């Protein structure tokens, strides 16, 4: 949705710049959580769910945290296989993961999915349907719900009008030209339809037009039937937990309520990129059956940092956070606020698309996000770059019991220091952000538990717990972690062990604020020592293991296309060789076939290998093969996707 959003951005940024003036677990490391031809006549779809399954929009007093599991062009980082491997690491911290649009487009390689073509074919640039199902299942086992990116404002077509016919559970679904809005594409579609003798809907678009695809008429009974079947498929068959609706400015919010009720979905969030009043109006149009992204919260943070269009435009002014122009501040809409500080549309993409990245205060922005009410949505690149810090922030949020409906009060509102006190269901949390956050001593009855560049967290002393500022996880090198006693008893100390044994009053004792060294894999247990009694023992699992680079083989059989010579072009983050790549000369007979092969390497834990096989410069080539981490076998097929030859992954057959 790039083109539309660039237009929105300029308007909304201008609005936002004028706003904002001052006006139970005992383990902080968190325990494991729980002309188009008519379709062939077919049976009627399954009946709609009973009203008892109706949606609620977004749960009240929800304490979960969401992760956007992708960024723009994150074809490597967001492969289903790659995300599945992260389930155990996300467990206990992330409750919902918003996945990229998972349906097959007209082209499946290197496409983000915002011009959807198929609904019931879930093979995309991010992996196969089988891999998607496996990911969702693994997430569920870890207590993580998957949020589907639902793009139903518009749909791609073959030519001007032809939608695909898809059969699911014996029912054939196909949209018709009469399902296209009468004024689609600013009237261009109607002009073309008149020329071709094709009929469109009698209804105009209910919202904003987007000329990249055909805008769907959501008043159409056929459109409604198909979308409801599609959404039920996403939820009941694939196992998605909730929906993120793309570009809801394009159709009336009442339809979202209808679709959600038809599926009984628990979590729904709409992308209504506009001013606060209009977002609230849209939420009302859904009968509060959907949450919405809190765009103005995001702009408040951006303005406080003083960065715009990838440039530093002003000195930081943290008073901008004290704005009432966001969903989060309003008690009537706080429940429905999905707060964020960056997403795939606002991130920096290129010199030609500056957009609006936070740039110089990413950690402080996320610290504020994760301490405040609403449901925070973390951006994938931020999670990847600052995982230990964000884990600790989430741990603090959950330990205090902060929810999407928590109350808060401002304590400091200065250009260089902004402090809010947030009331959790268990304890209170102070969040301090700004240039002077390091100097802030907190308030009476609070203890500092976390701090970093331009941010600090303080937990109320009634928590009566220990705090360790490095979360459980795997690390390549040893580190130091600070142990903090949070207690109403002055002078409370800490006891700890590194061998997994339960600490006692006779274990190693340290003062609050003491750093200890973690030099190898261990189980750290820390307890609060008050008047000779050990309380609230927290457990932390640390694995210290340096990543070992390794190599693997990529095999390819080109018998079907008879390419000679055969080249292999590879890249990770960047190309390792110039096009067309390295000429493949080494062969091996396997299973009665001749296989060319190439050795590739993985040099760090976050690397993935991508491959294109080709016949040379300006010669035929295959589709992109992405996200390889182990030995794989591919057969080049004679069929094409666009101008590129398809490949068949036969790894399971040969890699035994």
């Amino acid at each position: 949705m790039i083109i539309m959003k660039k237009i929105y951005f300029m308007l909304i940024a201008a609005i936002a710049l004028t706003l904002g003036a001052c006006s139970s677990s005992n383990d902080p490391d968190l325990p494991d959580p729980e002309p188009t031809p008519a379709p062939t006549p077919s049976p009627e779809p399954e009946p709609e769910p009973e009203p008892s399954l109706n949606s609620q929009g977004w749960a009240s007093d929800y304490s979960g945290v969401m992760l956007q599991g992708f960024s723009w062009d994150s074809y490597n980082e967001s492969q289903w296989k790659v995300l599945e491997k992260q389930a155990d690491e996300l467990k206990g911290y992330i409750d919902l993961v918003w996945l990229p649009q998972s349906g097959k487009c007209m082209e499946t390689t290197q496409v983000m999915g915002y011009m959807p073509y198929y609904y019931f074919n879930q093979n995309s640039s991010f992996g196969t349907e089988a891999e998607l199902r496996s990911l969702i299942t693994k997430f569920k086992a870890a207590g993580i719900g998957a949020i589907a990116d639902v793009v139903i404002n518009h749909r791609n077509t073959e030519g001007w009008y032809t939608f695909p016919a898809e059969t699911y559970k014996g029912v054939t679904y196909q949209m018709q030209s009469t399902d296209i809005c009468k004024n689609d594409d600013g009237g261009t579609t109607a002009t073309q339809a008149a020329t071709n003798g094709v009929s469109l809907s009698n209804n105009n678009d209910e919202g904003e037009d987007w000329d990249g695809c055909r805008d769907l008429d959501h008043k159409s009974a056929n459109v409604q039937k198909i979308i409801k079947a599609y959404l039920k498929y996403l939820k009941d068959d694939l196992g998605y937990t909730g929906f993120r609706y793309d570009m809801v400015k394009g159709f009336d919010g009442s339809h979202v309520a209808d679709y959600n009720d038809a599926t009984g979905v628990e979590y729904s969030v709409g992308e209504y990129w506009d001013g606060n009043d209009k977002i609230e109006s849209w939420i009302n149009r859904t009968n509060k059956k959907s949450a919405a992204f809190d765009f103005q919260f995001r702009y408040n943070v951006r303005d406080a940092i003083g960065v715009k269009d990838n440039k530093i435009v002003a000195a930081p002014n943290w008073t901008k956070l004290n704005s009432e122009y966001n969903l989060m501040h309003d008690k009537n809409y706080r429940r429905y606020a999905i707060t964020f500080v960056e997403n795939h549309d606002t991130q920096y993409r290129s010199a030609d698309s500056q957009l609006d990245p936070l740039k110089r205060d990413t950690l402080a922005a996320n610290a504020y996000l994760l301490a405040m009410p609403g449901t925070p949505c973390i951006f994938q690149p931020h999670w990847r770059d600052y995982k230990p810090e964000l884990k600790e922030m989430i741990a603090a949020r959950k330990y205090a019991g902060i929810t999407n409906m928590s109350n808060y009060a401002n304590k400091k509102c200065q250009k260089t220091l902004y402090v809010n006190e947030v009331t959790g269901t268990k304890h209170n949390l102070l969040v301090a952000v700004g240039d002077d956050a390091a100097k802030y001593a907190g308030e009476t009855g609070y203890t500092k538990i976390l701090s970093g560049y331009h941010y600090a967290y303080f937990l109320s002393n009634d928590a009566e717990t220990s705090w360790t500022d490095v979360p459980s996880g795997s690390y390549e090198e040893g580190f130091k972690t600070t142990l903090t006693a949070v207690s109403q008893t002055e002078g409370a100390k800490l006891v700890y062990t590194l061998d997994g044994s339960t600490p006692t009053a006779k274990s190693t004792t340290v003062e609050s604020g003491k750093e200890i060294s973690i030099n190898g894999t261990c189980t750290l247990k820390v307890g609060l020592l008050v008047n000779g009694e050990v309380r609230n023992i927290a457990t932390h699992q640390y694995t210290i293991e340096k990543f070992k680079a390794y190599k693997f083989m990529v095999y390819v059989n080109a018998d079907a296309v008879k390419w000679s010579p055969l080249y292999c072009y590879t890249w990770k983050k960047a190309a390792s060789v110039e096009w067309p790549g390295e000429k493949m000369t080494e062969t091996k007979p396997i299973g009665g076939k001749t296989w060319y092969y190439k050795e590739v390497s993985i040099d760090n834990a976050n690397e993935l290998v991508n491959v294109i096989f080709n016949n040379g410069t300006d010669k035929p080539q295959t589709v992109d093969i992405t996200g390889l981490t182990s030995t794989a076998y591919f057969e080049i097929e004679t069929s094409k996707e666009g101008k590129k030859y398809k490949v068949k992954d036969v790894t399971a057959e040969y890699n035994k």
Side-chain angles (χ1 to χ4, degrees), residues 35 161 177 191-199:
Y161 318 106
S177 64
T191 301
Q192 189 69 31
T195 301
N196 296 343
V198 172
S199 298

Side-chain angles (χ1 to χ4, degrees), residues 33 51 251 564:
F251 56 102
S564 183

Side-chain angles (χ1 to χ4, degrees), residues 7 19 55 64 83 102 108 134 152 299 335 338 379 395 541 545 651:
I7 298 171
L19 305 169
S55 61
L83 292 175
S102 55
T108 58
S134 179
I152 55 173
Y299 289 129
R335 168 180 171 177
I338 309 303
F379 191 37
Q541 302 284 350
E545 184 177 11
T651 303

Side-chain angles (χ1 to χ4, degrees), residues 24-25 27 29-34 62-65 86-96 138-145 394 398 426:
S24 129
S25 167
D27 182 3
D29 209 14
L30 298 180
D32 292 350
E34 305 277 313
Y62 181 66
S63 60
V65 175
Q86 299 172 25
D88 290 339
E89 187 174 45
L90 298 171
K91 184 178 180 180
Y93 297 97
I94 301 299
D95 304 273
L96 300 169
K138 185 65 178 289
F139 273 6
K140 281 191 174 181
I144 303 167
I394 295 171
K398 295 196 172 190
K426 304 173 204 174

Side-chain angles (χ1 to χ4, degrees), residues 284-302:
N284 292 339
R285 287 293 298 165
T286 74
N287 197 24
K288 294 188 174 179
K289 296 288 181 78
S290 183
F293 286 105
D294 195 346
F295 279 93
Q296 298 310 316
F297 178 97
R298 196 266 171 192
Y299 289 129
N300 296 155
V301 173
R302 177 207 62 187

Side-chain angles (χ1 to χ4, degrees), residues 343-354:
N343 67 20
H344 63 295
D345 287 314
T346 62
Q347 73 178 105
Y348 176 81
R349 296 184 190 170
S350 69
D352 296 329
S353 183
Q354 295 286 312

Side-chain angles (χ1 to χ4, degrees), residues 294-325:
D294 195 346
F295 279 93
Q296 298 310 316
F297 178 97
R298 196 266 171 192
Y299 289 129
N300 296 155
V301 173
R302 177 207 62 187
D303 293 344
I305 292 170
V307 172
K308 183 181 176 183
D309 296 340
N310 200 36
K311 301 175 183 176
I312 296 173
V313 297
N317 182 356
W318 297 93
T319 67
K320 299 289 187 179
L321 295 179
N322 210 40
S323 172
E324 293 188 351
Y325 196 68

